[in-house]
Amino acid sequence: MGIDVGADCTSGTSVGDNTPLTRNSGDFGVNGMSLWTDDALGCTCGVIYEWLYYAQSVNIVYFQVWRDTGGDVYELVGQHQHTPTGTGSNTATFTGINRIPVNQGDIIGWYSPVASVVSYKNNGGGPDYRTSTAVGALVVGNTHDWSGDATQSGKRFGFQAMIQPVVTPFDKCSVAAGTAPTITNLAPTTTSISDTSQTGFLVFTLVVYDDDGDTITTSMTSASTEFAFDANTLRVTTAVNTIAAGSYPLTFRVQDSCGKTGTGTLTITVTNSPIYITNLPSYAVVSQDITTQTLLHTLATSDASPTDSIASCNLAAAPKFSTAIVTGTTYGIYSILNPGFDYLTTKKYQFDATCTDSYGASDSGTFYVYVTANTPPIFTNLPDKATIASTIATGTSVFAVTATDVDVADTVTFNGVTCLTGTCPFTITAGGEIQTNADISALTIPGYEVYVTITDGTNTVGPRTLTVIVTGINSPPVIRNTPLTFSLSLMENSAKSNSIYQINAADPDSDTLTYSITYTPATEGATLGYCPPSSATVVDYESLTSKSFTADISVTDGAATDTYSTFTIDVIDINEAPAFGTTIYYVTGNEGSAGESFGNPGFTVTDPDTGDTHSYTVDCPAITMDSSTGAVTLSGTYDLDISGTASVLTCTATVSDGELTDTTQLIVTINDVNDHTPAFSQSDYTIYTTIYGNVGGIIGNIAATDGDLGIYGAISYSIDSSTLNDTYFGVSGTGDLYLNKDLSSFGNGAYLPFTATVTDYGGLTDTANVVVIVYITTTVPTTTTTERYITFFEYPPNIPWFTLLFMTAFAVAAVFSYLAYTQGFLINLTREDFKSLCREKKKGNIKRKHPRKIKHFASGQRDRQRGVKFASPNLAHPINTSL
């Protein structure tokens, strides 16, 4: 461990009590006592050479030096054993290497294995100390954890260590610093190892020395990934498995506890492991006929070096041969292209092959090449013959061919077999065995000439013949009514169960025949479903991508097959009618003049015939239909204000592809439009009345007209009498003007002007100026009126809602009639059903009481409801409520 280097110790330095011989009051009196004091050395690089102490007993004592390692754990770095000469003052002196090297921070103590020896004195003060009987006898290098021993104080111990600076063993009186440590076996030094050395291989062990006996720290100062150094064992080892050949200098440094240093260099030479050719000498035999570049020998090499590789392999004095890489880094010896070997001229070649590794090491060996004159191989059992049954299985042996070659280095190879007639159902193995490779029972040829050839790599011999007789051959079926000289036509929409052609085949063996067909294109052709017929669906021309198909017809008897493959089937397109997507469509528009748009019914039409153009027509004269889009417009002026004009038209729409058609029902709803403004018959009215007129009495009529029928023909009246500052007049739903208030306050000839307005249901209006002139008669006219109820249509607010109710009822009746006609739910009603319905209706009639008459209008003026004055309040309330 590193130490703090302070000032060097000088002569006369001590640690412990300054007057140890006076600390003699007593001792611990305990056997096996160890003591640790907090007296720490304040200098560095010194040695303890003497102990002064006061002995209480004559027993062995060990004076000890402890060094802190951290956390109250101390290492025993040195100890002196001494037995006092007697009680009292004693001195223990040590020389040379027996002295204890000390450094700043080291502390002293003692150990008495039996009775206590060192005395103490209780006089207060003194260093802290710890005692223990559990430490026991230790050797230098042992440690003890003093944290479990309590720290004490108040005693001064009678022992002192004397220190002197480090001096050489040869001059103990010198005060000069000690000598530096050295590495005794690096001066410098070189050592060698093989490049095959594995991790952890011991390369070198350093030896270090310090004349002063100081603690020495050793380290490797050069960086290296190849080698490792253990500072404790001083061993240099390999750090990796693979170290390339070369020189690796390593530097080392030693340092003692006084900071003195020394260095040394170790140079490690890693030697390359040599390459070896492991399969030379060797030889090869070649034929004089060889012409291609041929591998004669693959060179096998061995190189223990993990970082090495083959750099090259070469031949010496061998012009007909060369070296080249066979695979990876493996070399081979080859004959060159067209070497021109001549057995009569040169029968043997001899040359050396040398392989060199990447570090330059090499190895050589001799190779021999012998040239032979080639002799062709010969058959030993062909020609010959064999008989087999047609029922034998595929792979059955038929005959074993044998052959020989006098050239022992040659290998005879059996080439493939051929047959004189048709496909050859035989094969030959590498060993010369002829076997069947097809189902013989399906063949029709009763005999085969099988040709066999052999080769030795240079010469090919054959063919030689093996005659094979096949017994029990099946006669194949024959299709008799093919080929055709025309194409077959298939009409669209033909049922798939229909027959378009009958295949006729015969079998000499009267075997059961099975027919099959293959279409091209295969996927769509199969959907036609012929041979055998499929389910009774029809052929759809438009769904087919291909309109023409070829068909391969085959017939088999289970063993042999006859096939004819030139049938052509053409699918003929047939026009098909377009079709509406639904049975009824609707359009809605307003009455108006020709060209008024009713929109597009949104016809959805399907037509199997892709590309057909469709046109539309309609049978209702009142409307016109665009032939391309189906859009509907009025063909002429259509006015619902003409009595009897229908607001809903039921038409038949037709779609055509130019040849075929389809129809659907088109419901055309025509909306009434408020196209007439109500009008008074004149723009100005003058009405005369007497001041004696009765309130509620009619004084004139300003009825207007409206050209609209239906709801828009309903009109109502109103008057603006704001110029009169009072509502003296009112107007009924039929245009009758009546008195709202008494006019007796006006004088003769009073002029009362106001404005009357007529409004239809759609909000269109007309106005007229009305002047009422009041005159006075000499007598009060007597007005007699017949008692009656005000009529329903005389009450203006009733007109609009009644008109709306009438139109709604009419529309409901029209829809009901249409549904009854189209759905047929009234067809089954009998006459008796109608009679029964009428009888129930009569039974439900309610008898009405004669209405009460309204009293004279002039007799009561206290109750008025909505501009109409009534004689009785009891009568006025229910009438106006219902209105």
Side-chain angles (χ1 to χ4, degrees):
M1 67 180 208
I3 59 173
D4 296 329
V5 180
D8 288 344
C9 295
T10 59
S11 296
T13 301
S14 66
V15 61
D17 197 272
N18 292 330
T19 57
L21 302 181
T22 65
R23 312 304 183 186
N24 55 5
S25 297
D27 63 82
F28 287 105
V30 178
N31 291 342
M33 172 70 75
S34 293
L35 178 136
W36 170 97
T37 70
D38 197 18
D39 279 325
L41 183 64
C43 62
T44 189
C45 200
V47 292
I48 296 177
Y49 69 95
E50 189 174 74
W51 299 87
L52 299 179
Y53 68 100
Y54 192 95
Q56 287 289 98
S57 65
V58 181
N59 291 297
I60 295 175
V61 63
Y62 290 88
F63 295 103
Q64 298 176 325
V65 178
W66 295 88
R67 185 167 295 161
D68 187 6
T69 62
D72 282 337
V73 177
Y74 285 78
E75 178 187 359
L76 182 63
V77 298
Q79 63 181 351
H80 283 148
Q81 176 185 338
H82 191 256
T83 301
T85 58
T87 60
S89 175
N90 278 271
T91 301
T93 303
F94 301 89
T95 62
I97 61 174
N98 293 320
R99 297 172 299 174
I100 300 175
V102 292
N103 276 308
Q104 184 179 21
D106 290 348
I107 61 175
I108 61 174
W110 50 256
Y111 165 62
S112 295
V114 289
S116 297
V117 175
V118 179
S119 64
Y120 64 80
K121 185 176 184 179
N122 293 319
N123 63 345
D128 290 340
Y129 67 91
R130 296 178 183 181
T131 60
S132 174
T133 59
V135 178
L138 299 177
V139 296
V140 174
N142 291 160
T143 60
H144 178 67
D145 185 353
W146 289 92
S147 63
D149 304 306
T151 302
Q152 304 176 59
S153 62
K155 295 182 186 299
R156 293 184 180 272
F157 295 93
F159 79 118
Q160 181 188 58
M162 300 303 294
I163 301 171
Q164 63 182 194
V166 175
V167 296
T168 66
F170 310 103
D171 185 9
K172 294 182 172 57
C173 297
S174 172
V175 296
T179 60
T182 60
I183 305 174
T184 61
N185 59 344
L186 291 185
T189 299
T190 299
T191 188
S192 298
I193 64 171
S194 170
D195 61 358
T196 61
S197 300
Q198 299 297 301
T199 301
F201 176 77
L202 177 61
V203 180
F204 195 79
T205 302
L206 275 64
V207 178
V208 299
Y209 177 75
D210 191 318
D211 287 340
D212 308 315
D214 293 339
T215 300
I216 300 175
T217 301
T218 308
S219 60
M220 185 170 71
T221 57
S222 56
S224 174
T225 58
E226 294 85 4
F227 300 96
F229 175 68
D230 188 326
N232 294 319
T233 63
L234 304 183
R235 292 158 60 97
V236 180
T237 58
T238 55
V240 293
N241 284 330
T242 303
I243 304 178
S247 180
Y248 298 86
L250 304 177
T251 58
F252 298 88
R253 181 175 181 266
V254 290
Q255 178 177 325
D256 64 12
S257 57
C258 295
K260 305 300 186 294
T261 63
T263 61
T265 300
L266 172 66
T267 300
I268 302 173
T269 300
V270 180
T271 60
N272 174 46
S273 297
I275 187 173
Y276 297 100
I277 302 176
T278 60
N279 61 346
L280 287 182
S282 187
Y283 72 94
V285 178
V286 298
S287 171
Q288 67 175 9
D289 300 325
I290 190 172
T291 58
T292 60
Q293 184 182 36
T294 303
L295 175 63
L296 304 179
H297 186 68
T298 299
L299 293 171
T301 61
S302 172
D303 194 330
S305 175
T307 62
D308 209 350
S309 62
I310 299 176
S312 64
C313 288
N314 299 294
L315 304 178
K320 293 183 181 293
F321 306 92
S322 65
T323 59
I325 292 177
V326 177
T327 179
T329 58
T330 301
Y331 281 80
I333 299 174
Y334 290 82
S335 64
I336 65 173
L337 186 67
N338 297 316
F341 294 133
D342 187 347
Y343 174 78
L344 297 178
T345 303
T346 307
K347 297 179 177 60
K348 183 182 79 171
Y349 293 88
Q350 176 181 337
F351 50 85
D352 289 337
T354 302
C355 291
T356 305
D357 67 13
S358 57
Y359 289 100
S362 62
D363 189 30
S364 299
T366 303
F367 188 68
Y368 304 90
V369 178
Y370 298 94
V371 180
T372 63
N374 185 267
T375 301
I378 60 174
F379 287 97
T380 59
N381 63 344
L382 285 183
D384 204 339
K385 67 178 180 178
T387 301
I388 60 174
S390 62
T391 56
I392 65 172
T394 301
T396 300
S397 177
V398 176
F399 189 84
V401 180
T402 58
T404 62
D405 194 324
V406 296
D407 298 320
V408 294
D410 285 352
T411 299
V412 178
T413 301
F414 294 92
N415 297 332
V417 298
T418 60
C419 294
L420 177 63
T421 304
T423 302
C424 192
F426 304 98
T427 186
I428 190 168
T429 66
E433 186 177 7
I434 296 177
Q435 299 176 343
T436 59
N437 67 352
D439 184 3
I440 302 299
S441 64
L443 302 178
T444 60
I445 301 175
Y448 294 86
E449 295 292 333
V450 181
Y451 299 133
V452 183
T453 60
I454 58 175
T455 181
D456 62 1
T458 301
N459 300 296
T460 299
V461 178
R464 297 291 184 270
T465 304
L466 175 67
T467 302
V468 180
I469 306 300
V470 182
T471 62
I473 289 296
N474 175 60
S475 298
V478 177
I479 299 175
R480 298 190 297 184
N481 58 340
T482 58
L484 297 180
T485 58
F486 54 87
S487 298
L488 298 177
S489 296
L490 175 61
M491 305 302 290
E492 183 182 17
N493 298 327
S494 297
K496 290 188 178 180
S497 59
N498 290 350
S499 174
I500 60 173
Y501 191 73
Q502 181 67 46
I503 302 298
N504 184 278
D507 190 319
D509 302 325
S510 299
D511 292 334
T512 300
L513 302 182
T514 302
Y515 297 86
S516 63
I517 187 169
T518 302
Y519 294 98
T520 304
T523 302
E524 286 198 328
T527 63
L528 297 178
Y530 287 87
C531 193
S534 66
S535 59
T537 55
V538 298
V539 176
D540 183 11
Y541 179 87
E542 286 73 26
S543 66
L544 298 176
T545 303
S546 299
K547 315 302 183 183
S548 181
F549 303 87
T550 59
D552 293 336
I553 304 296
S554 297
V555 60
T556 179
D557 60 3
T561 301
D562 188 18
T563 301
Y564 178 68
S565 59
T566 57
F567 283 96
T568 300
I569 302 173
D570 295 326
V571 181
I572 308 303
D573 187 20
I574 300 297
N575 185 33
E576 295 163 288
F580 283 106
T582 184
T583 59
I584 187 169
Y585 293 87
Y586 301 88
V587 291
T588 301
N590 297 327
E591 64 175 341
S593 58
E596 179 73 22
S597 175
F598 276 56
N600 195 309
F603 290 139
T604 55
V605 176
T606 58
D607 192 332
D609 300 313
T610 304
D612 278 4
T613 301
H614 302 135
S615 61
Y616 302 95
T617 58
V618 69
D619 65 348
C620 288
I623 60 173
T624 299
M625 179 172 287
D626 187 292
S627 63
S628 298
T629 65
V632 176
T633 57
L634 290 176
S635 59
T637 300
Y638 201 93
D639 191 355
L640 290 176
D641 298 324
I642 299 175
S643 179
T645 303
S647 62
V648 178
L649 303 178
T650 301
C651 307
T652 298
T654 301
V655 62
S656 173
D657 63 2
E659 179 183 355
L660 302 176
T661 63
D662 189 26
T663 60
T664 188
Q665 193 173 60
L666 177 65
I667 303 300
V668 182
T669 301
I670 304 171
N671 299 323
D672 188 18
V673 176
N674 188 21
D675 53 354
H676 293 281
T677 301
F680 287 106
S681 61
Q682 56 194 64
S683 60
D684 296 285
Y685 293 89
T686 302
I687 299 175
Y688 297 87
T689 185
T690 175
I691 64 173
Y692 303 111
N694 296 319
V695 174
I698 296 173
I699 63 172
N701 184 276
I702 57 172
T705 60
D706 192 316
D708 290 310
L709 295 181
I711 190 171
Y712 293 114
I715 59 176
S716 61
Y717 299 90
S718 63
I719 59 176
D720 180 5
S721 57
S722 59
T723 57
L724 302 178
N725 297 321
D726 207 346
T727 55
Y728 291 102
F729 308 100
V731 63
S732 71
T734 58
D736 289 332
L737 289 175
Y738 57 87
L739 292 179
N740 237 358
K741 288 189 177 182
D742 183 73
L743 302 180
S744 60
S745 61
F746 291 97
N748 189 37
Y751 182 87
L752 303 177
F754 57 87
T755 303
T757 301
V758 62
T759 304
D760 66 10
Y761 184 76
L764 300 179
T765 62
D766 189 22
T767 58
N769 298 318
V770 181
V771 175
V772 177
I773 299 175
V774 180
Y775 62 90
I776 301 175
T777 59
T778 56
T779 61
V780 177
T782 300
T783 304
T784 302
T785 62
T786 303
E787 294 181 349
R788 66 180 180 85
Y789 291 108
I790 186 171
T791 65
F792 178 84
F793 291 105
E794 289 177 339
Y795 187 59
N798 288 344
I799 302 303
W801 69 262
F802 176 78
T803 304
L804 178 61
L805 178 63
F806 176 78
M807 295 298 293
T808 303
F810 179 80
V812 170
V815 172
F816 180 80
S817 299
Y818 168 74
L819 293 176
Y821 173 76
T822 58
Q823 303 299 323
F825 61 78
L826 292 180
I827 296 175
N828 296 326
L829 290 178
T830 65
R831 181 177 300 176
E832 289 302 321
D833 294 327
F834 282 107
K835 287 180 179 182
S836 176
L837 181 64
C838 292
R839 284 195 296 270
E840 292 297 325
K841 180 64 177 180
K842 289 179 180 181
K843 289 179 181 181
N845 288 342
I846 300 174
K847 293 183 180 180
R848 303 180 182 272
K849 294 182 179 181
H850 187 71
R852 295 173 57 188
K853 294 184 178 179
I854 302 175
K855 293 184 179 181
H856 196 283
F857 280 95
S859 63
Q861 301 181 8
R862 59 189 179 277
D863 295 296
R864 178 179 292 114
Q865 299 292 330
R866 297 190 184 180
V868 180
K869 190 155 187 182
F870 298 92
S872 170
N874 296 326
L875 182 60
H877 183 269
I879 291 177
N880 284 281
T881 299
S882 63
L883 295 178

